Amino acid sequence: MKLRRLTELSLLTSVALIIFIIEQRFPDIAPIPGVKLGLANIVTVYAVYRYHPGESAMMVTARLLLGAFFSNNVSALIYSAAGAYLCLIGMLGVRHIIPEKYLWLCSVIGAMLHNTGQIAAAVVMMHTTAVISYFPVLMVSGTIAGSFTGICTQFLVKHIDRTR
Amino acid sequence: MNKKLLAVMMIVSVIFTVSLILVILQMKAPDKRIAEVLQDGTVLYTIDLNSAENQTIRIDAKSGSYNIITIENGEIYISDAGCPDHICMKTGILKSENVPIVCLPNKLVIRFR
Protein backbone atom coordinates (compact mmCIF):
# COMPACT_ATOMS: atom_id res chain seq x y z
CA MET A 1 0.00 0.00 0.00
CA LYS A 2 1.26 3.43 -0.89
CA LEU A 3 2.39 5.55 2.02
CA ARG A 4 0.05 8.36 1.03
CA ARG A 5 -2.90 5.98 1.01
CA LEU A 6 -1.97 4.60 4.41
CA THR A 7 -1.64 8.08 5.88
CA GLU A 8 -5.01 9.13 4.50
CA LEU A 9 -6.68 6.04 5.94
CA SER A 10 -5.08 6.60 9.34
CA LEU A 11 -6.26 10.18 9.29
CA LEU A 12 -9.80 9.06 8.41
CA THR A 13 -9.71 6.49 11.22
CA SER A 14 -8.70 9.09 13.78
CA VAL A 15 -11.36 11.53 12.55
CA ALA A 16 -14.00 8.79 12.83
CA LEU A 17 -12.74 7.91 16.29
CA ILE A 18 -12.90 11.51 17.50
CA ILE A 19 -16.42 11.93 16.12
CA PHE A 20 -17.42 8.63 17.72
CA ILE A 21 -16.12 9.62 21.15
CA ILE A 22 -17.54 13.14 21.04
CA GLU A 23 -20.94 11.74 20.05
CA GLN A 24 -20.93 9.51 23.12
CA ARG A 25 -20.81 12.64 25.25
CA PHE A 26 -24.05 13.88 23.69
CA PRO A 27 -27.15 13.32 25.79
CA ASP A 28 -29.27 10.41 24.56
CA ILE A 29 -31.90 11.37 22.02
CA ALA A 30 -34.34 8.62 23.02
CA PRO A 31 -34.34 6.06 25.84
CA ILE A 32 -34.01 3.18 23.41
CA PRO A 33 -30.72 1.36 22.89
CA GLY A 34 -29.36 2.08 19.43
CA VAL A 35 -31.17 5.32 18.66
CA LYS A 36 -28.40 7.77 17.83
CA LEU A 37 -27.11 9.92 15.03
CA GLY A 38 -24.15 7.73 14.16
CA LEU A 39 -22.01 10.63 13.00
CA ALA A 40 -18.96 8.38 12.64
CA ASN A 41 -20.83 6.80 9.74
CA ILE A 42 -20.04 9.93 7.71
CA VAL A 43 -16.43 8.77 7.52
CA THR A 44 -17.41 5.20 6.65
CA VAL A 45 -19.65 6.30 3.78
CA TYR A 46 -16.89 8.57 2.52
CA ALA A 47 -14.40 5.67 2.62
CA VAL A 48 -16.86 3.39 0.80
CA TYR A 49 -17.07 5.86 -2.09
CA ARG A 50 -13.41 6.91 -2.24
CA TYR A 51 -11.39 3.84 -1.17
CA HIS A 52 -11.17 0.15 -1.96
CA PRO A 53 -13.46 -2.24 -0.03
CA GLY A 54 -10.49 -3.75 1.82
CA GLU A 55 -9.26 -0.33 2.87
CA SER A 56 -12.69 0.66 4.16
CA ALA A 57 -12.91 -2.61 6.11
CA MET A 58 -9.52 -1.98 7.73
CA MET A 59 -10.58 1.51 8.70
CA VAL A 60 -13.85 0.32 10.23
CA THR A 61 -12.07 -2.46 12.14
CA ALA A 62 -9.52 -0.05 13.59
CA ARG A 63 -12.26 2.41 14.58
CA LEU A 64 -14.35 -0.32 16.22
CA LEU A 65 -11.51 -1.70 18.34
CA LEU A 66 -10.05 1.67 19.34
CA GLY A 67 -13.53 3.09 19.95
CA ALA A 68 -14.37 0.23 22.32
CA PHE A 69 -11.10 0.65 24.24
CA PHE A 70 -11.24 4.44 24.46
CA SER A 71 -14.86 4.57 25.55
CA ASN A 72 -14.23 1.83 28.12
CA ASN A 73 -17.12 -0.18 26.75
CA VAL A 74 -15.57 -3.38 25.41
CA SER A 75 -18.66 -5.41 26.36
CA ALA A 76 -20.63 -3.48 23.71
CA LEU A 77 -18.08 -4.41 21.03
CA ILE A 78 -20.08 -7.42 19.84
CA TYR A 79 -23.12 -5.21 19.15
CA SER A 80 -21.19 -2.44 17.44
CA ALA A 81 -19.14 -4.94 15.40
CA ALA A 82 -22.25 -6.78 14.16
CA GLY A 83 -23.81 -3.45 13.19
CA ALA A 84 -20.73 -1.92 11.63
CA TYR A 85 -19.80 -4.91 9.44
CA LEU A 86 -23.33 -5.53 8.19
CA CYS A 87 -23.56 -1.82 7.41
CA LEU A 88 -20.23 -1.87 5.57
CA ILE A 89 -21.04 -5.00 3.54
CA GLY A 90 -24.42 -3.58 2.56
CA MET A 91 -23.01 -0.22 1.53
CA LEU A 92 -20.23 -1.85 -0.51
CA GLY A 93 -22.95 -3.90 -2.20
CA VAL A 94 -25.11 -0.97 -3.23
CA ARG A 95 -22.21 1.40 -3.95
CA HIS A 96 -22.18 0.61 -7.66
CA ILE A 97 -25.96 0.83 -7.96
CA ILE A 98 -26.24 4.21 -6.28
CA PRO A 99 -24.47 7.08 -8.04
CA GLU A 100 -22.85 9.80 -5.97
CA LYS A 101 -25.73 12.14 -6.64
CA TYR A 102 -27.90 9.89 -4.44
CA LEU A 103 -25.14 9.11 -1.96
CA TRP A 104 -27.43 9.81 1.01
CA LEU A 105 -29.50 6.76 0.04
CA CYS A 106 -26.44 4.56 0.53
CA SER A 107 -26.04 6.05 4.00
CA VAL A 108 -29.70 5.33 4.81
CA ILE A 109 -29.27 1.69 3.79
CA GLY A 110 -26.12 1.55 5.89
CA ALA A 111 -27.91 2.93 8.95
CA MET A 112 -30.79 0.48 8.55
CA LEU A 113 -28.39 -2.45 8.22
CA HIS A 114 -26.35 -1.21 11.18
CA ASN A 115 -29.44 -1.32 13.40
CA THR A 116 -30.48 -4.68 11.94
CA GLY A 117 -27.08 -6.13 12.81
CA GLN A 118 -27.24 -4.77 16.34
CA ILE A 119 -30.67 -6.28 16.94
CA ALA A 120 -29.55 -9.61 15.52
CA ALA A 121 -26.54 -9.55 17.88
CA ALA A 122 -28.82 -8.65 20.81
CA VAL A 123 -31.16 -11.56 20.02
CA VAL A 124 -28.22 -13.97 19.96
CA MET A 125 -26.51 -12.55 23.04
CA MET A 126 -29.59 -12.18 25.23
CA HIS A 127 -31.30 -15.43 24.16
CA THR A 128 -34.60 -13.62 23.80
CA THR A 129 -36.61 -12.28 20.91
CA ALA A 130 -38.05 -9.46 23.07
CA VAL A 131 -35.60 -6.96 21.60
CA ILE A 132 -37.06 -7.41 18.11
CA SER A 133 -39.88 -5.09 19.16
CA TYR A 134 -37.34 -2.26 18.91
CA PHE A 135 -36.88 -3.02 15.23
CA PRO A 136 -39.49 -0.62 13.78
CA VAL A 137 -38.31 2.26 15.97
CA LEU A 138 -34.74 1.63 14.96
CA MET A 139 -35.67 1.48 11.25
CA VAL A 140 -37.39 4.87 11.47
CA SER A 141 -34.59 6.44 13.50
CA GLY A 142 -32.01 4.82 11.22
CA THR A 143 -33.63 6.33 8.13
CA ILE A 144 -33.66 9.81 9.66
CA ALA A 145 -30.14 9.59 11.07
CA GLY A 146 -28.85 7.96 7.88
CA SER A 147 -30.31 10.72 5.70
CA PHE A 148 -28.64 13.34 7.87
CA THR A 149 -25.21 11.73 7.89
CA GLY A 150 -25.61 10.94 4.18
CA ILE A 151 -26.25 14.58 3.30
CA CYS A 152 -23.21 15.54 5.42
CA THR A 153 -21.12 13.04 3.45
CA GLN A 154 -22.37 14.41 0.16
CA PHE A 155 -21.15 17.89 1.08
CA LEU A 156 -17.91 16.41 2.37
CA VAL A 157 -17.19 14.44 -0.81
CA LYS A 158 -17.73 17.53 -2.95
CA HIS A 159 -15.55 19.69 -0.73
CA ILE A 160 -12.67 17.22 -0.34
CA ASP A 161 -12.60 16.47 -4.07
CA ARG A 162 -12.24 20.19 -4.76
CA THR A 163 -9.40 20.73 -2.31
CA ARG A 164 -7.38 17.67 -3.30
CA MET B 1 -32.31 7.19 -13.13
CA ASN B 2 -31.76 3.50 -13.76
CA LYS B 3 -34.03 0.66 -12.73
CA LYS B 4 -31.81 -0.77 -9.99
CA LEU B 5 -31.59 2.57 -8.22
CA LEU B 6 -35.35 2.94 -8.44
CA ALA B 7 -35.79 -0.53 -6.94
CA VAL B 8 -33.45 0.29 -4.05
CA MET B 9 -35.35 3.50 -3.40
CA MET B 10 -38.66 1.65 -3.42
CA ILE B 11 -37.41 -0.96 -0.94
CA VAL B 12 -36.08 1.70 1.43
CA SER B 13 -39.27 3.72 1.34
CA VAL B 14 -41.46 0.62 1.86
CA ILE B 15 -39.39 -0.43 4.91
CA PHE B 16 -39.60 3.11 6.27
CA THR B 17 -43.36 3.36 5.81
CA VAL B 18 -44.08 -0.07 7.29
CA SER B 19 -41.83 0.67 10.29
CA LEU B 20 -43.50 4.02 10.86
CA ILE B 21 -46.93 2.36 10.90
CA LEU B 22 -45.66 -0.31 13.30
CA VAL B 23 -44.21 2.35 15.62
CA ILE B 24 -47.55 4.12 15.74
CA LEU B 25 -49.34 0.83 16.43
CA GLN B 26 -46.86 0.03 19.21
CA MET B 27 -47.76 3.17 21.11
CA LYS B 28 -51.14 1.92 22.30
CA ALA B 29 -51.34 1.27 26.04
CA PRO B 30 -51.43 -2.38 27.08
CA ASP B 31 -54.31 -4.10 28.84
CA LYS B 32 -51.98 -6.61 30.43
CA ARG B 33 -50.79 -6.05 33.97
CA ILE B 34 -48.46 -8.99 34.50
CA ALA B 35 -44.81 -8.13 34.05
CA GLU B 36 -42.00 -10.60 33.78
CA VAL B 37 -38.31 -10.12 34.39
CA LEU B 38 -35.95 -12.09 32.18
CA GLN B 39 -32.23 -12.48 32.47
CA ASP B 40 -30.30 -14.20 29.70
CA GLY B 41 -33.56 -15.59 28.32
CA THR B 42 -34.82 -17.20 31.54
CA VAL B 43 -37.72 -15.81 33.55
CA LEU B 44 -36.57 -14.73 37.02
CA TYR B 45 -39.76 -13.10 38.31
CA THR B 46 -43.36 -12.86 37.24
CA ILE B 47 -45.08 -9.93 38.88
CA ASP B 48 -48.78 -9.09 38.88
CA LEU B 49 -48.64 -5.31 38.97
CA ASN B 50 -52.24 -5.01 40.22
CA SER B 51 -51.53 -6.86 43.44
CA ALA B 52 -47.79 -6.38 43.91
CA GLU B 53 -46.64 -4.43 46.95
CA ASN B 54 -44.19 -1.59 46.61
CA GLN B 55 -40.75 -3.13 46.63
CA THR B 56 -37.29 -3.11 45.14
CA ILE B 57 -35.58 -6.15 43.66
CA ARG B 58 -31.85 -6.35 43.13
CA ILE B 59 -30.63 -8.50 40.26
CA ASP B 60 -26.95 -9.26 39.94
CA ALA B 61 -25.44 -9.96 36.55
CA LYS B 62 -22.70 -12.48 35.92
CA SER B 63 -20.30 -9.67 35.08
CA GLY B 64 -20.61 -8.26 38.61
CA SER B 65 -22.92 -5.46 37.50
CA TYR B 66 -26.46 -5.09 38.85
CA ASN B 67 -29.93 -3.66 38.25
CA ILE B 68 -32.36 -2.42 40.88
CA ILE B 69 -35.99 -2.89 39.84
CA THR B 70 -38.60 -0.80 41.66
CA ILE B 71 -42.29 -1.60 41.81
CA GLU B 72 -44.30 1.37 42.97
CA ASN B 73 -48.07 1.89 42.86
CA GLY B 74 -48.53 -0.77 40.19
CA GLU B 75 -45.75 0.55 38.00
CA ILE B 76 -42.41 -1.11 37.30
CA TYR B 77 -39.12 0.51 36.34
CA ILE B 78 -35.37 0.20 36.79
CA SER B 79 -34.25 2.68 39.41
CA ASP B 80 -30.53 1.97 39.45
CA ALA B 81 -28.03 0.06 37.35
CA GLY B 82 -24.34 -0.64 37.36
CA CYS B 83 -24.00 -0.47 33.59
CA PRO B 84 -22.27 2.47 31.92
CA ASP B 85 -25.08 3.73 29.68
CA HIS B 86 -28.12 3.66 32.03
CA ILE B 87 -30.47 3.34 29.06
CA CYS B 88 -32.67 0.94 31.05
CA MET B 89 -33.19 3.66 33.68
CA LYS B 90 -33.95 6.31 31.07
CA THR B 91 -36.60 4.08 29.48
CA GLY B 92 -38.62 4.79 32.63
CA ILE B 93 -41.84 3.04 33.55
CA LEU B 94 -42.84 -0.04 31.54
CA LYS B 95 -45.75 1.25 29.49
CA SER B 96 -46.02 -0.63 26.23
CA GLU B 97 -46.61 -4.26 25.52
CA ASN B 98 -44.32 -4.00 22.53
CA VAL B 99 -41.47 -1.96 23.93
CA PRO B 100 -39.77 -3.74 26.83
CA ILE B 101 -37.22 -2.28 29.21
CA VAL B 102 -33.88 -3.66 28.10
CA CYS B 103 -30.46 -3.59 29.69
CA LEU B 104 -28.06 -4.86 27.05
CA PRO B 105 -24.90 -5.08 29.20
CA ASN B 106 -26.63 -7.13 31.92
CA LYS B 107 -28.83 -9.10 29.50
CA LEU B 108 -31.96 -8.09 31.39
CA VAL B 109 -35.45 -7.65 29.91
CA ILE B 110 -38.64 -6.51 31.64
CA ARG B 111 -41.82 -6.91 29.61
CA PHE B 112 -45.54 -7.54 29.88
CA ARG B 113 -46.46 -11.16 29.58
Side-chain angles (χ1 to χ4, degrees), chain A residues 28 30-34 72-73 75 79 94 96-99 102 104-105 108-109 112 122 125-141 143-144, chain B residues 1-2 4-5 8-9 11-12 15-16 18-20 22-23 26 38-42 84-85 87 90-92 97-109 111:
Chain A
D28 288 317
I32 293 168
N72 196 14
N73 206 355
S75 62
Y79 302 111
V94 294
H96 294 294
I97 299 173
I98 300 171
Y102 300 99
W104 60 272
L105 190 64
V108 169
I109 291 167
M112 281 178 161
M125 291 296 292
M126 297 176 75
H127 305 292
T128 172
T129 49
V131 281
I132 290 179
S133 52
Y134 283 133
F135 194 70
V137 187
L138 286 180
M139 284 300 109
V140 173
S141 81
T143 311
I144 297 166
Chain B
M1 206 188 287
N2 63 42
K4 272 184 185 168
L5 177 63
V8 172
M9 273 190 172
I11 293 166
V12 169
I15 293 174
F16 179 73
V18 170
S19 304
L20 199 64
L22 284 175
V23 169
Q26 277 186 348
L38 291 93
Q39 189 181 42
D40 213 357
T42 46
D85 54 15
I87 282 175
K90 288 172 197 154
T91 309
E97 204 176 306
N98 297 304
V99 184
I101 302 175
V102 175
C103 176
L104 284 179
N106 299 345
K107 299 182 181 175
L108 192 80
V109 175
R111 66 178 180 198

Side-chain angles (χ1 to χ4, degrees), chain A residues 1-161:
Chain A
M1 193 191 293
K2 289 255 178 66
L3 191 60
R4 184 194 161 92
R5 205 82 171 158
L6 185 66
T7 318
E8 282 177 3
L9 279 170
S10 316
L11 189 66
L12 278 183
T13 309
S14 50
V15 169
L17 200 57
I18 292 165
I19 296 175
F20 177 74
I21 287 169
I22 290 176
E23 200 194 340
Q24 285 201 325
R25 296 281 169 266
F26 287 3
D28 288 317
I29 301 167
I32 293 168
V35 174
K36 58 173 194 172
L37 266 175
L39 293 174
N41 196 40
I42 294 175
V43 182
T44 314
V45 183
Y46 177 77
V48 163
Y49 272 84
R50 282 292 175 270
Y51 292 87
H52 299 302
E55 293 172 335
S56 313
M58 277 195 296
M59 201 212 75
V60 168
T61 309
R63 202 216 67 211
L64 271 175
L65 290 175
L66 292 171
F69 294 139
F70 286 170
S71 62
N72 196 14
N73 206 355
V74 182
S75 62
L77 186 63
I78 182 95
Y79 302 111
S80 44
Y85 285 124
L86 196 65
C87 163
L88 182 69
I89 292 165
M91 290 203 295
L92 289 171
V94 294
R95 171 190 154 175
H96 294 294
I97 299 173
I98 300 171
E100 267 171 44
K101 204 178 146 197
Y102 300 99
L103 191 147
W104 60 272
L105 190 64
C106 183
S107 170
V108 169
I109 291 167
M112 281 178 161
L113 286 172
H114 187 277
N115 290 344
T116 310
Q118 280 190 317
I119 291 192
V123 169
V124 173
M125 291 296 292
M126 297 176 75
H127 305 292
T128 172
T129 49
V131 281
I132 290 179
S133 52
Y134 283 133
F135 194 70
V137 187
L138 286 180
M139 284 300 109
V140 173
S141 81
T143 311
I144 297 166
S147 312
F148 177 73
T149 56
I151 290 165
C152 291
T153 316
Q154 232 164 326
F155 283 124
L156 198 71
V157 166
K158 239 188 245 168
H159 187 74
I160 294 181
D161 284 355

Side-chain angles (χ1 to χ4, degrees), chain B residues 44-62:
Chain B
L44 294 185
Y45 298 96
T46 307
I47 301 154
D48 187 344
L49 292 177
N50 285 332
S51 58
E53 289 170 22
N54 292 357
Q55 57 182 302
T56 56
I57 303 167
R58 182 189 165 98
I59 294 172
D60 289 295
K62 282 190 195 105

